[in-house]
Amino acid sequence: MKPFAAPVDDILFTLDQVAGAASLEEWDADLMREITQAFAAFAEGEIAPLDEVGDTQGCKLIDGRVQMPEGYKKLYADYAEQGWPSLTVPEEYDGQGLGGVALATVSEIFSGANHSLQMVTGLVPGAVRTLLDYGTDEQKSAYIPRMASGEWLSTMCLTEPGAGSDLGRIRARAVQDGDAWKITGEKIFISGGDQDMTDEIFHLVLARTGDADSGVKGLSLFICLSNQPDGTRNPITITRIEEKMGLHASPTCQMAFDDAPAELIGKEGEGLKAMFTMMNHARIDVALQGVAHATRAHDIAAAYCAERIQGRGADGQPVTLDYHADIKNMLGEMRALSLLGRAIAHVAIVELEKEEDPMLVEFLTPIAKHFCTESASRAADLGIQCLGGYGYLQEYRIEQVWRDARICRIYEGASGIHALTLSTRLLQGRTAEAADRFAAFTGANAPAGAVAEWTKAREAMAASADPSAKAADFMAISEWLLLRALAPRFDSHEAAPQIATYLKRTEHMGAVLSARICEA
């Protein structure tokens, strides 16, 4: 089985040559290489070897507490001791004060090495950012250093049995009790809702403070700690952990809050606004999870196909699998999907860090989340096909890549929801400026004919009485255009031929999608 190898050179190439990270004031190429290589060594040596253990053992719910797989507690302690949780925390709160680009490099490598553990640890940066944007000075000082040190981990508690994507149906209620609040209700699908790697968990909980019919305007955001000040457990019960097809070492918890003491963060009735700080961070993070899976699938498949003798060449001599055109095409597509997905995610991150064009970021984010996660499933599926029967077995673990990657298309907004966002909210009214900024960005880099096809589609969508009917097509043509804007930046990369072949094979899709969107 091919050991995990972090794609350090590809990551740094894309940041520098494709995403233009050098335009950031804080960009330091040497420092970024040092950070990326350091985490890569840790991931390859300590994190990745426990991925198979976690997949095999899974998590256990024992006497109401979650027990992580063997070795995970020590691994997390090593992770915290090396200072990785503090990477993007401001220095005034005991952090290293680095930006989102540094986090992106670490996050992708972490996901490729062990997506399950990355899920449990990966919500800390978003929780810190939420506190920085909406917390009081007292809340910031009390909580951020504990997460920076790794002493605490965090969760995001949104989903309920009757409220998945429709957050207006949330029923968990927060009631004021003097200067405090108490939360009662049920939350499901909470990643890391409990674990035994930290003694304390910082829960961010979305709960209703308005009346039952107040919709999203009646939601507020709360800090709810797993422990009370005297060290006893808060009245939060883990009622079950889900049995999942993948991510077995990430405890997905069903939680019951029973008058659990909580603190309001931000203003009452503005909970969804505050929570989106964490959700938007999470969506880019999920895009990078998709990139990590596509990359890992290609790495396993390419290594196998370079060694497996199968068939004979034109000269009659035995050849390896990657000699055959069908396998070569599949490997080339996997490589292109990995590189182009990373390019989209990195562009979105760099633009977000620059803080100069927020509406462009608004348009790029759903594209990044959609393309990267769909590409992960596609690449994993192609990888299984390349290995044939061995791909279907557990021996080479590419089937685990497929299983773990599948959730990326669902959580933090399913693919269809992001397509709907692009086709409705970002094409109409005040936020239509987002589409204008995307047009300007791609227009400066993509072929004029490609831009023209997308523009026709955009105009037809904006004029449509029901744009949702063609949302998937509009997402596809937006991705198609963006890839053509970014691909020339890979001209000096060794995989440029595979990217060119992939674009050539999909060249006709722009006209097809545009015609389909424009037809009555």
Side-chain angles (χ1 to χ4, degrees):
M1 206 283 293
K2 174 71 166 61
F4 172 75
V8 172
D9 289 338
D10 282 344
I11 289 172
L12 296 173
F13 177 93
T14 308
L15 283 172
D16 188 29
Q17 300 296 315
V18 181
S23 63
L24 297 170
E25 289 185 11
E26 69 273 17
W27 175 253
D28 183 329
D30 292 335
L31 176 62
M32 196 58 57
R33 177 169 286 278
E34 183 178 340
I35 291 169
T36 307
Q37 289 177 330
F39 190 79
F42 177 54
E44 292 168 357
E46 297 190 45
I47 299 176
L50 285 184
D51 187 41
E52 186 172 9
V53 173
D55 185 58
T56 302
Q57 292 185 4
C59 300
K60 298 180 176 66
L61 184 62
I62 300 175
D63 296 329
R65 297 300 309 276
V66 171
Q67 184 180 93
M68 296 292 286
E70 182 180 340
Y72 274 58
K73 188 170 185 176
K74 181 183 183 304
L75 174 58
Y76 177 74
D78 293 343
Y79 170 81
E81 183 179 357
Q82 292 182 24
W84 295 110
S86 69
L87 197 66
T88 58
V89 176
E91 293 181 17
E92 63 186 294
Y93 299 109
D94 301 335
Q96 301 177 53
L98 297 174
V101 170
L103 178 62
T105 68
V106 168
S107 183
E108 182 193 331
I109 293 171
F110 202 158
S111 296
N114 190 323
H115 184 179
S116 288
L117 184 59
Q118 192 273 341
M119 279 290 296
V120 182
T121 64
L123 290 172
V124 166
V128 169
R129 188 169 300 179
T130 302
L131 278 168
L132 290 172
D133 288 351
Y134 296 99
T136 64
D137 290 341
E138 291 77 10
Q139 288 171 337
K140 295 173 189 177
S141 298
Y143 302 133
I144 294 178
R146 313 293 284 275
M147 288 188 276
S149 68
E151 182 182 356
W152 292 3
L153 283 170
S154 64
T155 71
M156 178 169 60
C157 302
L158 279 76
T159 307
E160 298 181 7
S165 301
D166 185 1
L167 296 177
R169 296 174 61 86
I170 282 178
R171 296 167 60 188
R173 174 160 290 280
V175 177
Q176 196 159 13
D177 181 15
D179 293 333
W181 292 80
K182 291 188 175 179
I183 296 176
T184 299
E186 187 179 21
K187 295 290 181 179
I188 63 171
F189 299 165
I190 309 304
S191 298
D194 190 45
Q195 36 75 21
D196 59 0
M197 300 185 300
T198 63
D199 293 330
E200 181 79 80
I201 303 174
F202 179 89
H203 299 296
L204 279 175
V205 185
L206 201 60
R208 185 164 301 285
T209 51
D211 60 44
D213 298 323
S214 57
V216 296
K217 294 181 180 179
L219 300 177
S220 301
L221 185 61
F222 294 89
I223 298 164
C224 191
L225 302 181
S226 60
N227 293 340
Q228 299 191 58
D230 62 3
T232 59
R233 300 292 291 180
N234 247 340
I236 304 171
T237 304
I238 307 300
T239 56
R240 64 174 287 163
I241 53 176
E242 305 295 346
E243 297 289 338
K244 310 187 296 293
M245 69 182 288
L247 298 186
H248 294 160
S250 173
T252 303
C253 299
Q254 182 171 313
M255 305 169 65
F257 295 76
D258 185 12
D259 280 343
E263 294 178 45
L264 180 68
I265 180 170
K267 296 180 180 179
E268 188 176 343
E270 295 186 2
L272 194 58
K273 176 183 177 183
M275 184 61 92
F276 262 105
T277 299
M278 195 167 191
M279 290 171 68
N280 285 335
H281 166 269
R283 284 168 177 170
I284 295 291
D285 198 47
V286 173
L288 289 169
Q289 290 170 0
V291 171
H293 284 302
T295 303
R296 179 66 174 142
H298 174 264
D299 196 30
I300 294 171
Y304 177 88
C305 294
E307 296 179 355
R308 171 78 166 173
I309 302 294
Q310 198 82 163
R312 296 180 181 275
D315 60 0
Q317 296 300 309
V319 295
T320 53
L321 271 175
D322 57 4
Y323 170 88
H324 301 288
D326 181 45
I327 299 295
K328 190 176 297 184
N329 287 338
M330 288 191 286
L331 290 173
E333 182 177 346
M334 295 166 71
R335 183 77 167 124
L337 290 173
S338 166
L339 292 168
L340 291 170
R342 183 182 294 111
I344 294 174
H346 281 184
V347 167
I349 291 163
V350 168
E351 291 296 331
L352 178 64
E353 291 294 297
K354 285 163 67 173
E355 298 183 336
E356 295 173 358
D357 202 341
M359 297 310 291
L360 175 59
V361 175
E362 283 286 314
F363 208 86
L364 290 175
T365 299
I367 295 177
K369 204 281 185 182
H370 185 279
F371 181 83
C372 295
T373 60
E374 292 287 327
S375 295
S377 286
R378 172 66 177 168
D381 193 65
L382 288 171
I384 290 171
Q385 194 70 16
C386 285
L387 270 67
Y390 282 109
Y392 196 67
L393 303 183
Q394 295 180 347
E395 181 176 351
Y396 288 87
R397 296 184 54 222
I398 198 165
E399 56 83 35
Q400 185 192 338
V401 176
W402 189 91
R403 289 187 288 108
D404 287 353
R406 185 59 183 86
I407 187 60
C408 296
R409 293 161 57 193
I410 298 172
Y411 61 21
E412 301 308 332
S415 291
I417 289 176
H418 287 288
L420 197 62
T421 296
L422 206 68
S423 302
T424 55
R425 186 172 66 82
L426 297 179
L427 285 183
Q428 300 172 353
R430 180 183 59 82
T431 52
E433 181 190 348
D436 294 337
R437 299 306 307 138
F438 179 74
F441 177 82
T442 53
N445 300 278
V451 176
E453 294 290 1
W454 180 85
T455 301
K456 285 191 297 184
R458 174 195 175 177
E459 291 171 350
M461 291 293 289
S464 173
D466 182 19
S468 64
K470 297 179 179 178
D473 286 340
F474 187 69
M475 173 61 82
I477 197 171
S478 297
E479 292 173 342
W480 178 86
L481 175 61
L482 183 56
L483 296 182
R484 278 148 184 79
L486 297 178
R489 303 182 187 186
F490 282 97
D491 285 348
S492 62
H493 193 279
E494 52 85 16
Q498 287 98 319
I499 291 175
T501 298
Y502 175 74
L503 294 182
K504 183 68 175 177
R505 289 174 57 197
T506 58
E507 188 173 10
H508 66 288
M509 288 306 300
V512 171
L513 291 165
S514 179
R516 202 153 66 197
I517 290 169
C518 292
E519 68 182 3

